[in-house]
Amino acid sequence: MRPYHIDDVLITPRQLERRLDSLAREMAAGAHSDNLVVIGILRGSFIFMADLVRWFWLNDLHPRIDFMIMASYGSGTTAAREPTVSRDCSIDLTGADVVVVDDILDTGRTLIKAVAHLAAKGPRSIRTCALLDKPARRAVPCEADFRGFEIENVFVVGYGLDYDGRHRELPHIAKVTFTDEDPAR
Ligand code: IMP
Ligand code: MG
């Protein structure tokens, strides 16, 4: 693996907390649903989901919660193949108002695939939510209905996001700098 460091904090825990608060308010501002289902895409969304749904509670949103696993990245920072559903959600989505939650919207392929997959289960509506958005990287047309932060075209880790399986536990979002291409090091 290439040498790298994660010294640069892009988004602090405090910034994450404040944004999740406002994001949950945005989501609650729409029509309240008595059949709200929030589906997190694993593994990257696990921390974001856990924090977001606690803000839901404060905004009187009471979802059922499920997860699905989408696999696309083999390892490292490049997409290995088209995303596939490797573990489906198990809640009955008939008539449900679904919110799909992912960690980051990059090429858009994962979210497009997840939405198409879930749409076939007969929900009343599907909305999408991504903590981070890298619009410069988009390969297919895809916008999230709700997004936390727009970021530059950099690889990031922390708060659930990994580089080769690592650094998910960071309480902040950090930038991955590859030191073999960074003249300052
Ligand atoms: P997409 O299908 O290209 O939009 O990629 C979405 C998935 O790629 C995310 O759910 C992440 O798992 C992964 N990914 C994309 N960019 C990053 C990044 O900067 N850091 C960590 N994972 C990323
Ligand atoms: Mg990942």
Side-chain angles (χ1 to χ4, degrees):
M1 208 200 306
R2 294 167 65 192
Y4 68 96
H5 72 77
I6 52 167
D7 299 341
D8 301 313
V9 177
L10 214 60
I11 306 172
T12 66
R14 182 73 186 122
Q15 288 173 310
L16 286 164
E17 185 185 21
R18 292 173 67 106
R19 185 63 186 113
L20 263 66
D21 177 7
S22 58
L23 208 47
R25 287 173 208 265
E26 282 175 33
M27 295 168 94
H32 266 252
S33 168
D34 54 10
N35 193 0
L36 180 63
V37 177
V38 182
I39 299 177
I41 299 179
L42 292 175
R43 293 185 285 274
S45 72
F46 79 109
I47 295 179
F48 176 40
M49 272 282 279
D51 283 347
L52 185 67
V53 296
R54 281 177 279 192
W55 287 108
F56 271 30
W57 182 80
L58 289 166
N59 286 280
D60 202 25
L61 293 173
H62 305 290
R64 289 181 292 161
I65 292 170
D66 204 350
F67 294 93
M68 59 196 275
I69 302 181
M70 302 281 298
S72 60
Y73 280 66
S75 67
T77 60
T78 49
R81 57 184 184 278
E82 280 295 300
T84 53
V85 179
S86 73
R87 188 260 181 204
D88 206 350
C89 63
S90 47
I91 289 183
D92 179 11
L93 299 183
T94 311
D97 295 301
V98 173
V99 180
V100 188
V101 175
D102 204 359
D103 54 355
I104 186 165
L105 189 48
D106 188 38
T107 65
R109 290 196 178 98
T110 302
L111 208 52
I112 290 262
K113 179 72 186 241
V115 167
H117 177 80
L118 295 170
K121 295 173 183 282
R124 182 165 63 184
S125 67
I126 302 185
R127 289 177 301 166
T128 54
C129 174
L131 174 65
L132 304 176
D133 185 9
K134 282 199 266 192
R137 289 264 308 161
R138 207 75 88 246
V140 290
C142 178
E143 295 306 325
D145 296 300
F146 305 97
R147 68 173 181 183
F149 300 87
E150 180 176 326
I151 63 170
E152 302 289 299
N153 182 14
V154 291
F155 201 79
V156 293
V157 292
Y159 201 67
L161 290 100
D162 72 302
Y163 176 42
D164 211 12
R166 297 188 186 278
H167 310 303
R168 294 190 196 274
E169 75 283 10
L170 296 177
H172 56 271
I173 303 280
K175 174 183 163 185
V176 175
T177 302
F178 295 97
T179 48
D180 55 359
E181 69 180 17
D182 179 7
R185 312 266 304 196

